[in-house]
Amino acid sequence: AQSVTQLGSHVSVSEGALVLLRCNYSSSVPPYLFWYVQYPNQGLQLLLKYTSAATLVKGINGFEAEFKKSETSFHLTKPSAHMSDAAEYFCAVSLNTGGFKTIFGAGTRLFVKA
Amino acid sequence: DTGVSQDPRHKITKRGQNVTFRCDPISEHNRLYWYRQTLGQGPEFLTYFQNEAQLEKSRLLSDRFSAERPKGSFSTLEIQRTEQGDSAMYLCASSPSGTGTEAFFGQGTRLTVV
């Protein structure tokens, strides 16, 4: 069965610093991978997705993620954090079989210090 | 395109009462999902519809939970005899057909059982 592990439930960075949020997945078949962001009391918004094309995926708001099959990882990065990036981030995996459902990690809350 | 709409946004109910939530997906999307999210956790899959057919249900979905999607348009999620453990955010998402398609989320219904 597929699963997602996000390393670190909380990450704190200074404004302008590099953001790195870690995600490892488990899947028996090539997965589709996603990063979503959630602001308080809101639904989830897609940041970016990997669907077996380029391994480096660029998303909205300056975020990008790199798919590394050998490491089963899909870490999210942003070169320079903004205060507005403070939110909860979820890594997710989806298979194109069965129910097409998306399985989410437990999330990483990003704090940005001034 | 008005996005995925959920109603109500908030619901407070007494233990033992029944509640029903509504989800209106993006009109051209034939896949619809319900998720439950508790504080500090990622969304947990509950059930999935392809058009009007309910194709998958999670073991999390006890007999007190029922979901419908008549005519393949809007969906309802009913919880009978609510318990305090049902308190959570209930998220609805929809996606179009095709491979690697991402889910578009509504803003959720926050249920509080007192």
Side-chain angles (χ1 to χ4, degrees):
Chain A
Q2 67 275 28
S3 65
V4 173
T5 301
Q6 291 185 241
L7 303 177
S9 59
H10 298 84
V11 170
S12 182
V13 300
S14 298
E15 192 173 21
L18 171 71
V19 175
L20 171 61
L21 305 181
R22 299 177 187 273
C23 171
N24 288 88
Y25 70 91
S26 172
S27 175
S28 56
V29 298
Y32 298 104
L33 296 163
F34 307 85
W35 276 98
Y36 285 85
V37 61
Q38 186 178 35
Y39 297 98
N41 297 312
Q42 298 293 318
L44 280 72
Q45 179 185 4
L46 181 72
L47 279 176
L48 50 82
K49 66 178 182 179
Y50 167 76
T51 57
S52 74
T55 56
L56 182 62
V57 182
K58 294 187 182 299
I60 63 171
N61 301 337
F63 284 94
E64 62 182 38
E66 186 173 8
F67 173 71
K68 292 187 176 181
K69 184 177 179 180
S70 60
E71 298 177 8
T72 61
S73 68
F74 191 57
H75 302 331
L76 181 71
T77 60
K78 181 174 181 177
S80 177
H82 295 166
M83 297 296 289
S84 60
D85 294 328
E88 188 93 22
Y89 292 80
F90 294 96
C91 182
V93 61
S94 175
L95 298 183
N96 199 36
T97 59
F100 302 95
K101 62 181 179 287
T102 304
I103 303 300
F104 289 84
T108 297
R109 180 162 295 278
L110 177 65
F111 297 92
V112 182
K113 300 175 291 186
Chain B
D1 179 0
T2 58
V4 178
S5 177
Q6 292 189 245
D7 183 70
R9 291 290 310 277
H10 304 274
K11 178 71 176 179
I12 300 174
T13 190
K14 292 183 178 180
R15 189 174 52 185
Q17 298 294 304
N18 299 342
V19 295
T20 299
F21 309 141
R22 177 180 171 122
C23 172
D24 287 273
I26 294 172
S27 58
E28 61 267 29
H29 289 181
N30 59 357
R31 296 177 188 162
L32 187 147
Y33 311 83
W34 285 98
Y35 287 83
R36 180 171 66 189
Q37 186 180 24
T38 53
L39 198 62
Q41 298 297 316
E44 296 174 298
F45 170 79
L46 292 179
T47 190
Y48 155 67
F49 290 85
Q50 175 93 12
N51 299 313
E52 67 275 11
Q54 188 174 20
L55 297 186
E56 188 170 352
K57 292 170 61 174
S58 166
R59 285 171 291 178
L60 294 174
L61 216 62
S62 75
D63 291 344
R64 297 184 296 106
F65 288 70
S66 62
E68 295 182 341
R69 193 183 182 196
K71 303 179 182 179
S73 56
F74 72 92
S75 176
T76 59
L77 178 68
E78 181 183 14
I79 308 174
Q80 297 182 326
R81 305 181 303 281
T82 52
E83 302 172 357
Q84 287 190 320
D86 297 331
S87 296
M89 175 79 89
Y90 289 84
L91 295 165
C92 177
S94 68
S95 70
S97 299
T99 60
T101 56
E102 70 269 25
F104 292 78
F105 281 82
Q107 293 192 314
T109 294
R110 181 166 295 284
L111 173 66
T112 302
V113 181
V114 297

